[in-house]
Amino acid sequence: MSNTATLATLSGSDLAADPNWWRQAAVYQIYPRSFFDSNGDGLGDIKGISAKVPYLKALGIDAVWLSPFYPSALADGGYDVDDYRAVDPKLGTLADFDELSAALHAAGIKLIADIVPNHSSNRHVWFQEALASPRGSAARERYIFRDGKGEHGEIPPSDWESVFGGPAWERITEPDGTPGQWYMHIFAREQPDLNWSNREVRDDFLTTLRFWSDRGVDGFRVDVAHALTKDLTEPLLSRLELGGASDGADGFDDGSHPFWDRDEVHEVYLEWREVFNEYNPPRTAVAEAWVHANRRARYASPTGLGQAFNFDLLQADFKPDEFREIITRNLAEATDSGASSTWVFSNHDVVRHATRYGLPQGAGRHAKGQDGKGWLLAGAPAEELDIELGLRRARAATLLMLALPGSAYLYQGEELGLQEVGDIPDAQRQDPTFFRNKGVEIGRDGCRVPLPWAAEGASFGFGAGGAHLPQPAWFGRYAVAAQDGTEDSTLEFYRKALTLRRELQSSEDLEWLETGHAEVLHFRRHGGWQSVTNFGDNAVELPAGEVLISSEPLDGRLLQGNTTVWLR
């Protein structure tokens, strides 16, 4: 890993900031390669993000979360990291990053960096050293190498499958040219798993956390936070004994799975918390941990990462009973753990919620909430998607989410009402899940298509050199330029909602109010303001109060179907 010198810690107003800023923050996720291209090479870059800081400030967000921007061969969209303490030269330099950090902080926006601790890339200097070193060497101990089974070691150490398909083990060629050991990779073969039982690995990541914290990073989003520590005591369990699944710990809610959600992982995060607390204010973190609800609080512990993603609403149908149960349960869990809850509908891994909500409810859902996967695999037939209904429900759901206590995570382009791009030609796709599992996974490219900034042009204003994923012709009507200043546009709706949220948020509680309508969810927040959502198709009478914002235009005092209103 790079030993580049770090900068001095930021001072002044940044250090005087509220240490609890993250508890009810609106966080905007940027997928750097698809945000804005400043140099015309077809890829979004760090300078492109800096150029759009005024846009981000006007949007009204509290923080930006950057998906990986490190050197990478893009075997998994940047989540295969070559160097944890550097910027991909295709995206910029460390100086560019420092300028972005300064620009965001000057605009009052915090900076959250994605960190990928479960695995490095196979191009990482450590892994290349491991390949060049013999069995049992210190270099190999940084990863998970095992001898194979069979007379000549030709059978993998276990029959586990990777999340991206195929065996979770890859055989190497030894330095002398003979067939050799196998290394473990839960994800792509280009992503060898690190050995978190190794003290050198743990210490190096502490160095990485300090490196970015010293450059102004206020917090970290921790990729697959539940997969670091592993128990590979022989004999290894078979896939059948593990329940057959490769992408989660289904059936394991006690920390006994050999590589998902083990109790020892929290020893790692206890050390991370000690590093976070070296700073003033302390650095924050949020875990991406697909675990049982009863296990989530451990990641969100004040002595651990402090917060964990709650994907329950993302996986729910647009139904009031589901939403109410999820909200109630998660707020109770957050209270018990001392954390704040998190809410999210879209991100870089799932079908955009404006599209999901326009499909028949429950269509194509799988374990990670990608409602709409089946629709995409079927070729995204236009007749099955109700675009108007999907956007209407997406706006209503977002306004409800922004009224909730806790952090709201937004994904680039949802403020434009962007739909999923479903018709990307096979030859132009990039996601490894598509190539490794054709017919089973369509991949995640459809939500990663570069943003439209202008209503016209070869790349709709993304950059002078085109876009690295194809943009459809209909992108123009969703462009920033087409919505900026346009009353009732989705962009202006987000801006107003985020401004009001910042003004209204206070204590982290809510009170449910009964309306007499089964399709309506109504709650009150501290200070007397209220959120009312009509999940049904028929209009109902709006409760008394001044209307602060509505996700759709109102008809007098009637609350239209699939609409949320804030009242005071």
Side-chain angles (χ1 to χ4, degrees):
M1 299 185 183
S2 170
N3 291 313
T4 309
T6 62
L7 296 180
T9 305
L10 291 179
S11 59
S13 59
D14 185 66
L15 289 179
D18 178 4
N20 293 316
W21 66 266
W22 51 276
R23 295 188 66 90
Q24 298 196 75
V27 182
Y28 183 88
Q29 181 190 0
I30 289 178
Y31 190 75
R33 291 169 174 80
S34 296
F35 189 67
F36 181 64
D37 174 17
S38 71
N39 62 5
D41 65 356
L43 279 180
D45 45 46
I46 301 298
K47 283 190 174 182
I49 301 170
S50 294
K52 296 300 183 181
V53 168
Y55 172 82
L56 297 170
K57 181 176 177 62
L59 187 58
I61 53 152
D62 300 302
V64 160
W65 152 28
L66 294 184
S67 289
F69 50 85
Y70 314 107
S72 172
L74 301 184
D76 182 22
Y79 286 87
D80 47 313
V81 178
D82 297 348
D83 186 343
Y84 289 90
R85 299 196 286 272
V87 174
D88 192 324
K90 297 186 292 294
L91 304 187
T93 65
L94 280 172
D96 295 335
F97 181 89
D98 295 337
E99 291 176 7
L100 172 61
S101 175
L104 287 170
H105 287 114
I109 299 172
K110 300 290 187 181
L111 176 56
I112 296 172
D114 221 314
I115 190 165
V116 189
N118 179 69
H119 46 262
S120 75
S121 79
N122 61 346
R123 306 197 312 177
H124 193 286
V125 63
W126 274 4
F127 192 71
Q128 289 301 308
E129 184 181 351
L131 294 179
S133 300
R135 285 178 170 86
S137 63
R140 288 203 184 175
E141 284 301 310
R142 297 172 182 142
Y143 293 89
I144 301 173
F145 280 88
R146 292 289 184 277
D147 292 331
K149 297 178 180 179
E151 183 179 356
H152 304 290
E154 71 278 10
I155 302 172
S158 72
D159 64 350
W160 300 341
E161 288 193 352
S162 77
V163 173
F164 290 162
W169 299 90
E170 185 78 9
R171 198 174 194 187
I172 69 166
T173 299
E174 296 293 345
D176 64 4
T178 61
Q181 288 188 302
W182 299 74
Y183 68 86
M184 183 177 178
H185 58 92
I186 296 179
F187 295 94
R189 63 176 177 270
E190 296 90 349
Q191 295 170 296
D193 282 29
L194 289 158
N195 175 17
W196 276 87
S197 296
N198 185 294
R199 188 66 248 177
E200 187 178 4
V201 171
R202 295 194 181 201
D203 288 342
D204 201 82
F205 268 88
L206 298 181
T207 299
T208 295
L209 295 174
R210 291 187 177 100
F211 178 88
W212 293 111
S213 295
D214 289 346
R215 303 194 93 92
V217 168
D218 300 286
F220 298 89
R221 179 265 188 185
V222 185
D223 186 60
V224 287
H226 58 311
L228 277 61
T229 56
K230 300 169 177 70
D231 179 6
L232 300 186
T233 304
E234 298 286 353
L236 301 181
L237 298 178
S238 68
R239 283 186 64 217
L240 181 62
E241 291 171 307
L242 294 178
S246 60
D247 62 349
D250 288 347
F252 290 81
D253 60 359
D254 58 358
S256 64
H257 194 284
F259 53 86
W260 294 121
D261 188 32
R262 295 194 59 79
D263 290 341
E264 307 93 89
V265 77
H266 301 291
E267 299 170 8
V268 173
Y269 298 137
L270 180 62
E271 291 188 342
W272 287 25
R273 173 49 56 189
E274 292 173 353
V275 171
F276 298 155
N277 289 347
E278 294 173 2
Y279 294 85
N280 182 19
R283 284 359 187 190
T284 67
V286 58
E288 183 211 23
W290 293 88
V291 298
H292 285 261
N294 68 313
R295 305 277 296 176
R296 188 183 297 147
R298 296 167 64 87
Y299 295 87
S301 165
T303 59
L305 296 175
Q307 205 172 46
F309 276 122
N310 154 28
F311 298 111
D312 296 346
L313 279 184
L314 184 153
Q315 298 179 87
D317 282 335
F318 190 75
K319 295 179 179 178
D321 54 342
E322 288 193 40
F323 270 55
R324 179 164 178 164
E325 187 278 328
I326 288 168
I327 292 167
T328 301
R329 171 167 45 83
N330 280 280
L331 290 178
E333 290 173 4
T335 298
D336 290 343
S337 69
S340 69
S341 194
T342 60
W343 312 104
V344 58
F345 286 115
S346 286
N347 61 35
H348 66 293
D349 280 335
V350 301
V351 174
R352 289 185 177 276
H353 68 292
T355 295
R356 295 200 313 269
Y357 286 146
L359 294 167
Q361 294 291 280
R365 175 173 297 149
H366 78 338
K368 289 193 176 178
Q370 284 180 291
D371 208 2
K373 186 184 84 168
W375 173 76
L376 288 172
L377 284 167
E383 64 274 10
E384 293 183 15
L385 176 64
D386 188 331
I387 293 176
E388 182 178 348
L389 176 63
L391 180 56
R392 187 182 186 95
R393 285 178 168 173
R395 286 168 54 127
T398 295
L399 190 57
L400 183 155
M401 176 183 75
L402 292 177
L404 294 173
S407 297
Y409 283 80
L410 312 173
Y411 179 54
Q412 65 177 41
E414 71 170 82
E415 77 277 14
L416 305 177
L418 277 185
Q419 298 287 323
E420 186 82 0
V421 180
D423 55 354
I424 300 173
D426 289 1
Q428 293 180 271
R429 289 193 173 273
Q430 299 174 5
D431 190 346
T433 62
F434 170 76
F435 297 102
R436 290 177 170 88
N437 295 281
K438 283 188 176 181
V440 177
E441 292 288 347
I442 191 63
R444 299 159 291 181
D445 295 315
C447 66
R448 300 177 179 183
V449 175
L451 295 188
W453 294 92
E456 299 177 343
S459 69
F460 298 101
F462 170 69
H468 66 95
L469 282 169
Q471 300 161 303
W474 50 262
F475 251 36
R477 65 177 179 268
Y478 291 88
V480 172
Q483 299 191 49
D484 188 19
T486 300
E487 187 178 1
D488 295 330
S489 70
T490 301
L491 175 58
E492 293 299 337
F493 161 70
Y494 266 74
R495 286 172 173 170
K496 184 176 180 180
L498 287 164
T499 299
L500 279 170
R501 171 187 167 88
R502 182 174 288 182
E503 295 172 358
L504 295 170
Q505 287 281 35
S506 54
S507 62
E508 296 177 40
D509 56 12
L510 64 76
E511 174 191 4
W512 290 109
L513 302 174
E514 301 305 325
T515 65
H517 297 283
E519 296 299 309
V520 175
L521 283 190
H522 185 188
F523 60 83
R524 178 164 49 216
R525 292 292 307 279
H526 183 80
W529 65 290
Q530 305 166 55
S531 171
V532 190
T533 304
N534 182 1
F535 287 78
D537 296 324
N538 299 317
V540 299
E541 187 174 354
L542 193 63
E546 173 196 0
V547 174
L548 299 175
I549 185 174
S550 175
S551 64
E552 295 295 327
L554 294 176
D555 180 9
R557 297 298 298 183
L558 289 179
L559 179 62
Q560 306 299 317
N562 304 300
T563 301
T564 298
V565 171
W566 290 358
L567 303 169
R568 181 167 54 195

